[in-house]
Amino acid sequence: MTPASLPTQLSELTATDALTLFRQGELSPVELTRDCLERIDTLNPKVNAFVHIAHDGAMKAAKGAEARWMNGSPCGPLDGVPTTLKDLTLSRGMPTRYGSATTSPDGGSDVDSPVAASLRKAGAVFLGKTTSPEYGWKGVTDNPLHGVTRNPWNTALTSGGSSGGAGAAAALNLGMLHQGSDAGGSIRIPCSFTGTFGLKPTFGWIPQWPTSAMSTLSHLGPMTRTASDSALMLASMARPDARDGLLGNPHGIDWNAPLPLSLEGWKIAYSPTLGYVDVAQDIRLRVDEAVALLSRLGADVIEIDPGFACPLDTFNTLWFAGATQVVEKMTDSQRDQMDPGLLDIAERGSNISLSQYLAARRERTALCAHMQSFHEQWDLLVTPTLPISPFAAGHNVPPGEKYTDWMHWTPFSYPFNLTQQPAASLPCGLDDNGLPVGLHLVGGKFQDMKVMHAAMLLEEMLPGLVYPRP
């Protein structure tokens, strides 16, 4: 019999709930995995969250987990938990297509990336691969190979990107743990648009191999319904791997550190606009309400901007240069199959001089130093995750609006890829049209647990979202 304190429907379980039920013998990983796969088969045609569904592999892994739990010997802290990987992540036995028709459909990888290897060792059951735009190049999710990914809250709208498939899957609980990547907001954007939680950890905690074309802008992280589930996932994801030639700090932290009782003594800077961003009024209101809860938790909250100018030119120089690394190896026939937007930014990148590139590197270093100084005084910086609500699917920018590039409507996310700080998006309510709003929590470099602890305390106070089913 399911304990009264836990959800009665499998579709509402968190990973933490599922592990409790496995431990008590009240639920089998086979039963949970089968339920997830059945719901994926039903719902994926409506949202296009998955590009590959590993029916046979998932059920085989779940049966192994079931046997281990029956023997009282789980192989790791995630044994039997249904999990997904992004289509940019190499994983043994599953294809990795990068959302691109230029890749081969034949077979899968014979090797795991570091994050896939760590999650597999922890016992995660891989349900499949989630959608990404081509090579993860933009803040929404559609690609020439797999089409458009849609938002479960309203399938006419985008789920964001580039981890848009993971965001849609998390909102629908098609698996409890979802791996995303974030080089300019690609975890936090879809989490904001789908009402889910995601963390871009400090660069280096989670190793990457092969290296992203966006190099040290790119972070890997968890996407889940709750901050607690993300902490559970991080404890297994953040494992050193010698293949990562850009590893920042291989020693790690205790992602399961005890939660503080309050935020007493914390100093939190609230910047609703960073000093230069236009934010929709209904989003500002929801974020203001969530920030007020930080004061109720004991924190000293002051409205103040972090004091830097918009770093878009710096980001674009590095981003466009990275895009050239994807496109320059393609043949003419392959380029004809690619997203025109990716080809466009690669062309812009090819016109960047070495002097301009090095100047952007210096500007990035200066911004890092500025934020390091800022966080010597402030425990957290809080902003909206996005200034706008989800817009029409299949578009890179809101139709008819003032934006021309996806970076124009994501001004709160990409600065903190430049600085490599931990940053999370936490759902904090609904806008005037009933769509999710994200609260952005940014910590000093290597201060990820401050972000996680604030998020976990806040989610206990915020009204829970009632997730839709399209």
Side-chain angles (χ1 to χ4, degrees), residues 18-336:
L19 288 165
T20 297
L21 292 171
F22 294 164
R23 195 173 298 114
Q24 296 175 346
E26 302 289 344
L27 177 66
S28 161
V30 170
E31 181 184 3
L32 182 58
T33 298
R34 183 179 294 114
D35 176 78
C36 286
L37 290 170
E38 288 174 353
R39 288 187 293 109
I40 291 170
D41 289 340
T42 299
L43 296 173
N44 194 56
K46 301 176 183 180
V47 294
N48 192 29
F50 286 79
V51 299
H52 174 75
I53 305 169
H55 291 93
D56 293 342
M59 289 306 299
K60 180 179 179 180
K63 289 174 182 176
E66 178 185 64
R68 290 188 293 272
W69 278 108
M70 289 179 66
N71 291 332
S73 56
C75 70
L78 303 179
D79 203 9
V81 178
T83 301
T84 72
L85 299 172
K86 189 175 178 178
D87 190 32
L88 306 183
T89 303
L90 287 183
S91 51
R92 178 164 42 85
M94 291 193 288
T96 303
R97 300 297 306 274
Y98 301 94
S100 181
T102 66
T103 59
S104 172
D106 297 330
S109 172
D110 59 0
V111 65
D112 277 333
S113 65
V115 70
S118 293
L119 290 170
R120 193 188 299 276
K121 184 177 180 181
V125 171
F126 293 144
L127 298 175
K129 290 287 192 73
T130 56
T131 45
S132 166
E134 191 166 25
Y135 290 96
W137 81 269
K138 59 184 176 179
V140 296
T141 300
D142 58 71
N143 64 62
L145 181 62
H146 298 117
V148 177
T149 296
R150 301 179 179 278
N151 196 320
W153 292 81
N154 180 339
T155 55
L157 306 179
T158 181
S159 63
S162 64
S163 307
L172 293 169
N173 220 25
L174 304 178
M176 289 82 207
L177 305 177
H178 308 273
Q179 175 260 318
S181 61
D182 186 319
S186 293
I187 287 172
R188 292 159 290 158
I189 295 165
C191 283
S192 184
F193 276 178
T194 62
T196 53
F197 178 85
L199 174 75
K200 175 189 76 68
T202 295
F203 182 84
W205 286 141
I206 299 179
Q208 296 189 61
W209 177 87
T211 302
S212 167
M214 300 309 175
S215 187
T216 56
L217 291 173
S218 178
H219 305 224
L220 304 183
M223 299 172 66
T224 59
R225 279 194 171 185
T226 68
S228 298
D229 271 5
S230 278
L232 183 71
M233 194 176 182
L234 282 159
S236 294
M237 293 174 77
R239 302 285 182 177
D241 191 295
R243 293 174 290 177
D244 182 355
L246 300 173
L247 194 60
N249 187 331
H251 300 296
I253 54 179
D254 181 6
W255 296 100
N256 294 313
L259 189 66
L261 298 178
S262 73
L263 299 181
E264 194 74 37
W266 288 37
K267 292 188 67 177
I268 295 178
Y270 173 38
S271 178
T273 68
L274 291 180
Y276 54 81
V277 179
D278 292 329
V279 179
Q281 185 176 359
D282 53 346
I283 290 176
R284 172 68 188 269
L285 180 59
R286 294 288 86 76
V287 172
D288 283 347
E289 292 168 348
V291 168
L293 297 178
L294 291 167
S295 296
R296 287 176 54 188
L297 285 166
D300 183 13
V301 181
I302 305 295
E303 188 170 320
I304 185 173
D305 297 325
F308 59 77
C310 176
L312 180 59
D313 289 344
T314 302
F315 177 78
N316 278 350
T317 297
L318 301 175
W319 188 261
F320 296 165
T324 65
Q325 302 298 299
V326 173
V327 173
E328 68 180 7
K329 62 186 177 183
M330 300 295 178
T331 65
D332 288 343
S333 61
Q334 286 177 316
R335 293 184 188 207
D336 290 341

Side-chain angles (χ1 to χ4, degrees), residues 259-269 294-295 297-302 377-382 441-443 447-455 457:
L259 189 66
L261 298 178
S262 73
L263 299 181
E264 194 74 37
W266 288 37
K267 292 188 67 177
I268 295 178
L294 291 167
S295 296
L297 285 166
D300 183 13
V301 181
I302 305 295
Q377 181 178 2
W378 302 97
D379 293 284
L380 293 178
L381 169 66
V382 179
L441 306 172
V442 183
Q447 298 301 311
D448 302 57
M449 287 315 299
K450 287 186 177 181
V451 175
M452 294 299 294
H453 283 162
L457 288 172

